[in-house]
Amino acid sequence: MSEKNREGKRTARERMLAERAADEARAKRKKKLVVGGVVLAVIAAAVITGVVVQNERSKPETPTAAPAGTIGDKNLVVPVGAADAPSVLTVYEDPRCPACGSFEREFSPTIDQLEDAGKIGTQYHIVSFIDRAVPGKGSKTAANALACAQDAGHFRDYHDVLYRNQPDETNDAFGDKAVLISLAKQVDGLVTPAFEACVNENKYGGWVSAVQQDFDKSSFKSTPTVLLNGQPVYPKNGSQEITPQNLVEAVDAANQGKTLGSTGSHGQSPAPTSTASETNNPSPKAG
């Protein structure tokens, strides 16, 4: 074989090897691009999913049904007292909360009197977080029953009955719907087929969840949280330990020179929208 032919074959082999190396390099680059694209797509999907989940967590559930006469954004608040009362008492409570029970047993007669006199309208946020920490479902079940009582126009009286008969926090008696209906018999006119069906069918379960989600988004961390015209007053009003008597004094001071509200039967007329800004001040650790 001539030197020229050998040189030609060598050149052909080198060209073939070079082309093969180029093909392999292109294949590697393509593979990297495909893998990188898949990784980016997975990351993007994860980010999108995370944003959607976070958005879902941050949006209070919109209840499919709300009790009659409820007020505020998404109708999450139960109003009691005069719609035109000059002062607003805002109360966040859990039916299983022992500190709430203590507060109500001490203060509810005074609060009822203030409502009946047209001095305050009370806005109740019925939360249900204790079921998360203590086995049972009494917070949610009792909250639904309170919503049913609001529907029937007997919220205040039934609310007071529940707190007077509140079981120990670890006793889930309020998780038994029969117990809740039995206690409702202490309120004249409350127990009807409609009320019993409302309790037994958990009619306002979505509303109860929405109220709790709204509480979760606030800066309040404990119950009871009690505000007078947007300012915390329980367990202390400023530096002063709150009592029924000085609650009356605080209300009278806030109402000085103002016209009292007109009252409805048993304080069941709609409560006013707060005349003071109800800011999310950190709540006192009362329970």
Side-chain angles (χ1 to χ4, degrees):
M1 181 181 296
S2 69
E3 188 64 30
K4 184 176 180 180
N5 286 340
R6 280 197 298 272
E7 183 63 29
K9 288 184 177 182
R10 189 162 46 247
T11 301
R13 280 198 305 272
E14 289 172 353
R15 189 164 54 249
M16 182 181 66
L17 290 173
E19 289 175 357
R20 185 181 297 171
D23 289 341
E24 289 176 354
R26 280 193 295 271
K28 286 180 180 179
R29 285 196 300 271
K30 184 177 181 180
K31 184 177 180 180
K32 286 180 180 179
L33 288 172
V34 170
V35 171
V38 170
V39 170
L40 288 174
V42 169
I43 292 172
V47 169
I48 291 170
T49 301
V51 169
V52 169
V53 169
Q54 185 59 41
N55 284 343
E56 289 302 315
R57 287 176 179 167
S58 65
K59 292 178 181 177
E61 180 180 339
T62 300
T64 54
T70 48
I71 61 173
D73 185 33
K74 297 180 173 44
N75 295 317
L76 303 181
V77 181
V78 177
V80 178
D84 54 352
S87 285
V88 176
L89 193 72
T90 303
V91 181
Y92 292 82
E93 291 181 322
D94 186 311
R96 292 181 76 180
C97 162
C100 298
S102 296
F103 168 78
E104 285 296 339
R105 286 186 289 274
E106 183 178 7
F107 283 85
S108 65
T110 300
I111 292 172
D112 291 352
Q113 290 169 10
L114 290 168
E115 290 167 353
D116 291 344
K119 293 183 177 182
I120 63 169
T122 306
Q123 297 185 357
Y124 286 96
H125 301 248
I126 306 301
V127 301
S128 52
F129 65 91
I130 289 180
D131 285 352
R132 297 173 180 172
V134 182
K137 55 185 179 181
S139 292
K140 293 183 179 67
T141 307
N144 176 72
L146 283 164
C148 297
Q150 167 65 16
D151 229 14
H154 292 286
F155 173 86
R156 189 177 89 172
D157 289 341
Y158 185 55
H159 166 272
D160 292 352
V161 165
L162 287 190
Y163 278 108
R164 283 198 302 268
N165 294 274
Q166 186 189 54
D168 291 339
E169 185 179 20
T170 55
N171 178 349
D172 195 37
F174 282 176
D176 186 341
K177 295 171 182 176
V179 169
L180 296 169
I181 292 171
S182 178
L183 289 170
K185 293 176 182 178
Q186 297 183 32
V187 180
D188 290 343
L190 175 54
V191 179
T192 63
F195 174 78
E196 293 189 52
C198 182
V199 173
N200 287 323
E201 296 169 11
N202 196 40
K203 178 178 179 179
Y204 293 113
W207 179 84
V208 170
S209 296
V211 175
Q212 178 56 48
Q213 289 176 23
D214 186 62
F215 181 72
D216 289 339
K217 289 184 67 181
S218 76
S219 63
F220 303 127
K221 304 301 178 186
S222 65
T223 54
T225 288
V226 183
L227 314 173
L228 176 60
N229 295 326
Q231 298 303 311
V233 293
Y234 183 86
K236 289 186 176 183
N237 183 11
S239 61
Q240 184 181 40
E241 199 75 23
I242 195 73
T243 66
Q245 179 57 40
N246 60 37
L247 174 61
V248 172
E249 292 170 359
V251 169
D252 286 343
N255 290 350
Q256 191 170 6
K258 298 177 182 178
T259 303
L260 299 184
S262 55
T263 58
S265 176
H266 298 292
Q268 285 296 138
S269 61
T273 302
S274 176
T275 54
S277 175
E278 293 186 359
T279 56
N280 285 339
N281 296 311
S283 67
K285 297 293 180 179

